Amino acid sequence: MFINLNQNKNLKLFKIISEVAHRNSQSVYIVGGYVRDLLMKRKASTDIDFVTEQSGIELAEKVAAEIDPKMKVSVFKTYGTAMVRYKELELEFVGARKESYHEDSRKPEVEGGTLEDDQKRRDFTINAMAISLNKDNFGELIDPFNGIGDLEDQILRTPLEPSQTYSDDPLRMMRAIRFASTLQFRIETDSLNAIQQEAERIRIVSMERIMVEFNKIMLSAKPSVGLGLMEETGLLKRVVPELIALKGIEEVEGQTHKDNFYHTLEVVDNISIHTDNLWLRWAALLHDIGKAPTKKFVEGTGWTFHGHEFLGSKMVKSLFQRLKLPLGNDMKYVQKMVKLSSRPIALVTDDASDSALRRLLFDAGEDLEDLFTLCKADITTKNSRKQDRFKKNFEYVAVKIKEVEEKDQVRNFQPPISGEEIMEMFNLKPGREIGILKEKVKEAILEGEISNEKEDARNFVIAEAGKLGLSVVSS
């Protein structure tokens, strides 16, 4: 079978590589994800992998010289690979190789091999296809494991025996689940069983590499596919056990609570319809992690999860540290979303005070819309009347908050009187009195005792300073 590359936007590049390989007496093939996506008619990847049965480094250097003598080649001698950046593309050249693995490492021992050897070491049949760029069979699809059939059947299957494939390189288990989630493919039964058998081997993979795959699952159209497979195979309890702790339904005195694990998967899917923000999706994933340690049955009340949002937000930091996720603003954003995740619900009453609305505005700041997106995603009831009522309640709160915001301007507000001005007014040096007075001003504005205006704030500070035995020395 031949693939028509004549309409491919990279045809000119492929012809150059073909010509250079021919002059250098080398074979050359496009392999991997680019071939798969081309056959699936998906958006072409900007990463293209080429395999030669001779030196990948030598071929990369000669191709670069042919395109532009000044073009830089990044060489990785240990792996026998070289990378060239060309326009918006990353071109990787590698010599075909065989691989063998040790029990305690996913780093293989490598020796030179044929194209067939190279295809055998690939993770899945759909990624083991190659397109020849050689002059005598330019465009021929080389598919020894019927990858094209598996593409048509939407099946993920390993080229060789699955247990050995996953034991050799356990990251492939995460990749299988990632492809199942992003491509909506089914993992072949023997392969799925092998992941369950080899799940413990994930421990030899760095958390950074695991999270690359996990975040791709989180960014898929329906993350619950991948997350559900991770739970089914035993990978999730080895990566994010805090989620597994949410599983199950308990009954006491005829009262039950919902299964918070499957509820969480629904919330993540719901939010993914409305946002591609990875960290907002993470907030949805973690919004209930505090429920397992706070779960309690109270006589006459039923099941409670008191303070689960606060505890959950505290759990985010240690979880991010363990998972090697960013510990800066991204983590703080997730913490904030988890901590505030139930706040808007408490405001769905006619008697919710302006003070409570102002405090939510102040605490959520520029992330208020994201918080509302999370809260709406948290509505997972199958009762359409209840769902409509909850959504109308949120719209009602949104209107009330908008009214308060227009009136009081407290979103991300800075107190209208600064610490420097307070020091000047009372001839003070930096100290605790300044912090006390600034905090009192903030609280007074949020409580609605004074307006968010400079004159009101100044008069309030003078009155409060008097209680501390301070008097104005300048006007």
Side-chain angles (χ1 to χ4, degrees), residues 18-82:
S18 176
E19 182 60 38
V20 169
H22 182 72
R23 287 202 310 261
N24 202 40
S25 300
Q26 289 191 247
S27 59
V28 63
Y29 308 86
I30 312 170
V31 294
Y34 186 88
V35 178
R36 177 197 70 228
D37 291 344
L38 183 66
L39 292 169
M40 290 182 71
K41 296 181 171 58
R42 296 178 84 212
K43 184 180 178 182
S45 171
T46 55
D47 299 343
I48 311 179
D49 296 336
F50 302 91
V51 164
T52 175
E53 289 164 310
Q54 291 77 34
S55 168
I57 294 172
E58 187 177 332
L59 181 58
E61 289 173 340
K62 290 187 178 297
V63 166
E66 181 76 15
I67 296 172
D68 180 355
K70 295 179 182 177
M71 182 174 281
K72 184 182 176 185
V73 179
S74 300
V75 174
F76 308 95
K77 284 188 178 178
T78 307
Y79 303 101
T81 66

Side-chain angles (χ1 to χ4, degrees), residues 344-354 357 360 368 372 376 379 388-404:
I345 296 166
L347 300 177
V348 183
T349 59
D350 283 322
D351 61 352
S353 67
D354 283 1
L357 294 167
L360 179 61
L368 184 69
F372 269 68
K376 288 175 184 174
I379 302 168
D388 287 344
R389 187 172 79 247
F390 288 150
K391 286 178 180 175
K392 282 177 183 174
N393 285 342
F394 277 120
E395 287 167 13
Y396 171 64
V397 173
V399 169
K400 286 173 70 176
I401 280 185
K402 188 175 180 183
E403 290 170 356
V404 169

Side-chain angles (χ1 to χ4, degrees), residues 100-334:
S100 57
Y101 291 81
H102 293 293
E103 175 70 18
D104 60 348
S105 173
R106 59 177 291 268
K107 292 182 180 176
E109 288 185 2
V110 175
E111 59 180 295
T114 63
L115 173 66
E116 185 179 353
D117 290 327
D118 201 86
Q119 288 175 296
K120 283 178 182 176
R121 72 176 183 82
R122 301 275 162 175
D123 50 10
F124 307 107
T125 60
I126 63 170
N127 294 331
M129 295 179 283
I131 297 174
S132 172
L133 296 185
N134 301 307
K135 287 223 165 186
D136 58 349
N137 63 341
F138 188 90
E140 183 180 359
L141 179 70
I142 299 157
D143 181 19
F145 305 109
N146 191 31
I148 198 160
D150 287 344
L151 270 187
E152 290 168 357
D153 294 336
Q154 299 186 327
I155 287 177
L156 288 162
R157 191 164 52 86
T158 58
L160 302 179
E161 200 280 318
S163 289
Q164 190 63 48
T165 297
Y166 296 129
S167 179
D168 283 348
D169 185 353
L171 184 64
R172 289 169 177 162
M173 298 187 286
M174 288 296 301
R175 285 172 60 80
I177 290 172
R178 185 252 289 186
F179 283 124
S181 200
T182 56
L183 300 179
Q184 298 289 297
F185 277 24
R186 178 175 62 84
I187 300 175
E188 178 253 347
T189 303
D190 289 344
S191 200
L192 191 64
N193 291 338
I195 295 174
Q196 290 172 321
Q197 292 164 18
E198 300 297 331
E200 179 58 27
R201 291 277 289 159
I202 201 70
R203 64 183 165 76
I204 71 168
V205 182
S206 75
M207 193 55 75
E208 289 88 347
R209 299 296 298 274
I210 292 171
M211 282 299 108
V212 167
E213 300 301 327
F214 193 94
N215 281 338
K216 288 177 180 177
I217 292 169
M218 288 296 292
L219 286 170
S220 61
K222 195 174 182 183
S224 66
V225 173
L227 296 168
L229 284 168
M230 283 189 71
E231 186 275 324
E232 180 184 345
T233 55
L235 287 173
L236 194 61
K237 71 180 179 185
R238 292 170 170 88
V239 179
V240 196
E242 294 89 344
L243 293 174
I244 297 298
L246 298 173
K247 276 192 71 181
I249 299 171
E250 287 186 61
E251 181 175 341
V252 176
E253 297 177 3
Q255 295 192 54
T256 61
H257 59 79
K258 65 188 172 191
D259 186 307
N260 286 302
F261 174 73
Y262 292 106
H263 164 73
T264 292
L265 298 195
E266 282 190 76
V267 176
V268 175
D269 280 352
N270 286 348
I271 209 162
S272 297
I273 297 168
H274 301 288
T275 182
D276 291 326
N277 179 341
L278 173 63
W279 304 114
L280 184 51
R281 292 185 179 201
W282 264 98
L285 184 70
L286 302 181
H287 81 286
D288 271 350
I289 55 167
K291 280 192 171 179
T294 58
K295 182 167 68 173
K296 186 178 180 182
F297 184 81
V298 179
E299 288 279 348
T301 301
W303 291 101
T304 68
F305 305 91
H306 182 67
H308 77 271
E309 309 92 341
F310 178 73
L311 180 60
S313 71
K314 290 182 72 175
M315 292 169 68
V316 168
K317 184 175 182 179
S318 59
L319 190 146
F320 267 49
Q321 286 174 325
R322 192 185 74 243
L323 299 182
K324 308 297 184 187
L325 291 169
L327 298 178
N329 290 333
D330 295 328
M331 181 198 72
K332 290 175 183 174
Y333 169 85
V334 174

